[in-house]
Amino acid sequence: MKEIKEMSYNEAVAELEQILRTMQGDQCDIDRLATLTRRATELIAECRARLTATDEELRTILAGMQE
Amino acid sequence: MTKAMTLLEMLDVVRTFVQQPATQNVWVTAEVQDVQVRGGHCYMEMLQKDDAGRQQARVRGCIWASNYARIARSFYNATGQQFASGLKVMVRVSASFHPVFGISLVINEVNPEFTMGDLLRRRNEILRRLQAEGVLEMNRQLRWPLVPQRIAVVSAPGAAGYGDFINQLYTNPSHLRFTTRLYPAVMQGASAPQSVIAALMAVADDAPLWDGVVIIRGGGATSDLQAFEDYELAATVAQFPLPVAIGIGHERDVTVLDYVANARLKTPTAVAEWLIGCGESVLGAVNNLGARILQAATDRISGNRQQLAQATGLLPALARGAVERARARLGNATGLLSGVSGRLIHPQLERLGMTGRALATATATQLQRRRDSIDAAERLLAALSPQATLLRGYSITRVGGKAITSPDDIPAGTILETTLASGTLLSVKK
């Protein structure tokens, strides 16, 4: 599995979709479920982090703008 | 002494010649320049140029405040343009002469359709030219990334439109992350096109840093979008390597840039909303994926748990059932077996019994036959034995146990042993 930090946004979303399909399919056994869910959670967190800024970052940016 | 008029008297005469019925309320076409509003009155220069652009006629013009508000409003409503420099207009004028300010034309009505036609003609000329050069659709065919986050901004620093844009972008409720940089440009007046082109060139130099560029300015009351109806600027935007979004006016303002830019939005705020919208829809998609994955995981776990519970509940009954089934099967097998023995073994046994009896009979017959043949042989043997011959009077003479059949070669004195039917007789040869 590729390092999440090295993935492009599109790759991350594509893997999320793949995970969803696996989970909805008949071939997914309970043993893989925990692994898949953990991976999905990490991917989603990374996608969100790339799209959004923390409050602190926003404050810094806005402060920079007002100078 | 020659009588002289005062200057004022002279110019009063001029005025009577200027302000004739023939110069009052006349429809005139002209180009307007240097349009300014002062104290509610609108002042301008009215020009006529030849095809080479040389001025052929020029006069001051004005619209008094009493008419200006009404004319400006109806002109804007009809054309989507402010009454501004660079326009060709058809106006109803009255020539006026003032002793200090000289001649001017006072405008009391404007025919917006003429201007509209002219604007359209000019815009279409630019668009046709871009089409002929094959660049018209180039910027429109570029794609913004899924989430445009790195935005180059071409605008006038300190302008309200820029401030609105930045404020909107950085206070978006979803906390979408944006990076922007201002590439300053003059956004009004005749120098605007060249200034915007220069700013775009600076953006192009930094192209790898940006997802796209926005050209924005607030649509002020005195906005003269006419400056943006410019071939050079339109060609630059059309061929720009990054997608361009335009937000340079109010609702009804349209320029040739709106036809060549990748995204056409009305105001700086609308551009910001559009960018935020792109990000929010992608963020929404990620959140949705997350929710569906969670649901799938939950379903799978509860499905497995249910299966387990069902299995646990079923297990004792299953075991009992299995034992019963096994027993029944065993009973069945036994029954079957007896049936099978009845059908298969009995005939075999019977056949075996028959064979036994047949064997006994055959043996007895054989034995009898052998016994009979032995009896016959015995009788034959008895008939052929030497004893029977001896009884009939014959005898056997032996020398040294060997039967002799001739008296020759037997030396005298030899003891002869003669066997008779009942006993042995010894004699000596003579």
Side-chain angles (χ1 to χ4, degrees):
Chain A
M1 249 183 300
K2 206 167 171 182
E3 270 302 309
I4 288 179
K5 294 277 174 205
E6 288 166 13
M7 292 172 91
S8 77
Y9 182 86
N10 283 344
E11 283 173 332
V13 168
E15 190 177 334
L16 277 172
E17 282 165 350
Q18 180 56 48
I19 288 175
L20 180 60
R21 273 195 299 277
T22 308
M23 281 189 170
Q24 288 172 335
D26 297 333
Q27 301 302 311
C28 173
D29 62 48
I30 201 98
D31 296 328
R32 285 183 64 203
L33 200 58
T35 316
L36 287 174
T37 309
R38 191 177 311 116
R39 177 78 175 170
T41 310
E42 286 165 6
L43 286 166
I44 287 169
E46 179 65 21
C47 285
R48 282 208 188 109
R50 288 200 200 165
L51 294 176
T52 62
T54 61
D55 283 334
E56 200 175 332
E57 281 179 275
L58 279 176
R59 269 197 297 279
T60 314
I61 294 165
L62 286 173
M65 288 283 164
Q66 278 151 13
E67 270 167 17
Chain B
M1 188 174 170
T2 313
K3 213 167 178 256
M5 296 171 93
T6 65
L7 182 59
L8 185 56
E9 284 167 341
M10 170 59 191
L11 293 184
D12 272 343
V13 175
V14 172
R15 185 176 58 179
T16 62
F17 281 100
V18 170
Q19 298 183 193
Q20 290 282 326
T23 65
Q24 304 301 298
N25 292 315
V26 181
W27 284 101
V28 169
T29 60
E31 185 179 327
V32 291
Q33 285 294 347
D34 300 333
V35 177
Q36 305 172 33
V37 179
R38 287 196 308 269
H41 308 298
C42 177
Y43 302 92
M44 73 206 77
E45 292 292 315
M46 300 174 69
L47 311 169
Q48 182 175 347
K49 294 176 185 168
D50 65 12
D51 290 342
R54 285 186 299 262
Q55 289 187 10
Q56 296 179 304
R58 181 186 184 107
V59 70
R60 279 183 295 120
C62 69
I63 310 173
W64 300 128
S66 54
N67 281 326
Y68 178 65
R70 171 182 61 81
I71 286 176
R73 193 169 53 246
S74 72
F75 185 83
Y76 179 77
N77 286 342
T79 62
Q81 292 281 330
Q82 304 288 343
F83 189 87
S85 299
L87 293 176
K88 284 203 172 127
V89 294
M90 180 189 279
V91 288
R92 194 173 68 196
V93 298
S94 296
S96 163
F97 187 84
H98 188 280
V100 174
F101 303 114
I103 202 164
S104 66
L105 299 181
V106 177
I107 297 168
N108 56 39
E109 196 58 87
V110 176
N111 178 359
E113 280 165 28
F114 176 83
T115 305
M116 224 153 59
D118 178 62
L119 283 176
L120 215 56
R121 202 158 41 243
R122 276 201 272 171
R123 181 178 300 155
N124 287 342
E125 245 165 59
I126 295 175
L127 293 175
R128 263 198 304 277
R129 193 169 158 192
L130 294 173
Q131 174 94 60
E133 290 164 354
V135 301
L136 184 66
E137 297 285 332
M138 284 174 75
N139 198 257
R140 301 189 76 93
Q141 282 164 359
L142 295 179
R143 287 257 173 274
W144 289 81
L146 203 56
V147 190
Q149 290 179 293
R150 307 173 304 152
I151 313 296
V153 184
V154 173
S155 188
Y162 175 63
D164 291 347
F165 175 79
I166 290 297
N167 191 48
Q168 184 97 0
L169 211 57
Y170 284 101
T171 58
N172 75 82
S174 302
H175 285 192
L176 287 162
R177 184 200 301 271
F178 289 102
T179 310
T180 60
R181 185 192 295 169
L182 176 65
Y183 291 81
V186 177
M187 298 302 288
Q188 302 209 12
S191 61
Q194 282 313 312
S195 177
V196 171
I197 289 172
L200 284 172
M201 289 303 141
V203 176
D205 287 343
D206 295 342
L209 295 179
W210 307 114
D211 294 331
V213 52
V214 301
I215 302 175
I216 51 171
R217 67 163 209 179
T222 57
S223 74
D224 46 350
L225 285 171
Q226 213 30 54
F228 289 89
E229 299 287 348
D230 181 88
Y231 165 76
E232 295 290 337
L233 179 56
T236 306
V237 169
Q239 298 171 79
F240 203 70
L242 294 171
V244 178
I246 301 279
I248 54 174
H250 285 316
E251 211 49 41
R252 299 215 39 198
D253 296 336
V254 175
T255 72
V256 70
L257 298 189
D258 292 315
Y259 293 87
V260 295
N262 185 278
R264 164 197 170 177
L265 295 128
K266 284 302 172 188
T267 61
T269 313
V271 176
E273 278 168 6
W274 177 71
L275 290 169
I276 293 165
C278 292
E280 277 180 341
S281 78
V282 170
L283 195 60
V286 168
N287 288 341
N288 177 270
L289 257 178
R292 289 170 67 199
I293 285 173
L294 180 67
Q295 188 61 49
T298 313
D299 286 354
R300 181 103 356 216
I301 288 172
S302 81
N304 277 283
R305 191 172 291 149
Q306 242 170 28
Q307 220 174 347
L308 199 63
Q310 220 171 1
T312 313
L314 275 175
L315 209 54
L318 276 175
R320 267 199 306 280
V323 169
E324 262 156 38
R325 269 196 304 282
R327 186 175 296 147
R329 212 175 301 145
L330 199 62
N332 255 354
T334 316
L336 253 172
L337 204 57
S338 64
V340 166
S341 68
R343 270 202 321 280
L344 291 180
I345 299 178
H346 278 171
Q348 291 297 330
L349 285 176
E350 216 153 283
R351 200 176 305 156
L352 208 58
M354 267 158 50
T355 311
R357 281 192 294 280
L359 203 59
T361 311
T363 310
T365 310
Q366 284 293 326
L367 282 176
Q368 190 55 50
R369 207 171 289 155
R370 296 280 159 83
R371 199 173 293 128
D372 290 350
S373 74
I374 288 171
D375 287 348
E378 207 166 29
R379 277 192 298 277
L380 187 62
L381 196 58
L384 291 177
S385 82
Q387 188 64 28
T389 311
L390 294 178
L391 279 175
R392 282 195 298 271
Y394 295 96
S395 64
I396 305 165
T397 301
R398 296 184 177 95
V399 172
K402 202 176 174 190
I404 54 164
T405 53
S406 152
D408 309 329
D409 302 333
I410 303 294
T414 302
I415 295 170
L416 306 172
E417 184 188 320
T418 305
T419 301
L420 306 174
S422 57
T424 307
L425 175 73
L426 296 177
S427 50
V428 180
K429 175 144 182 214
K430 304 264 181 152

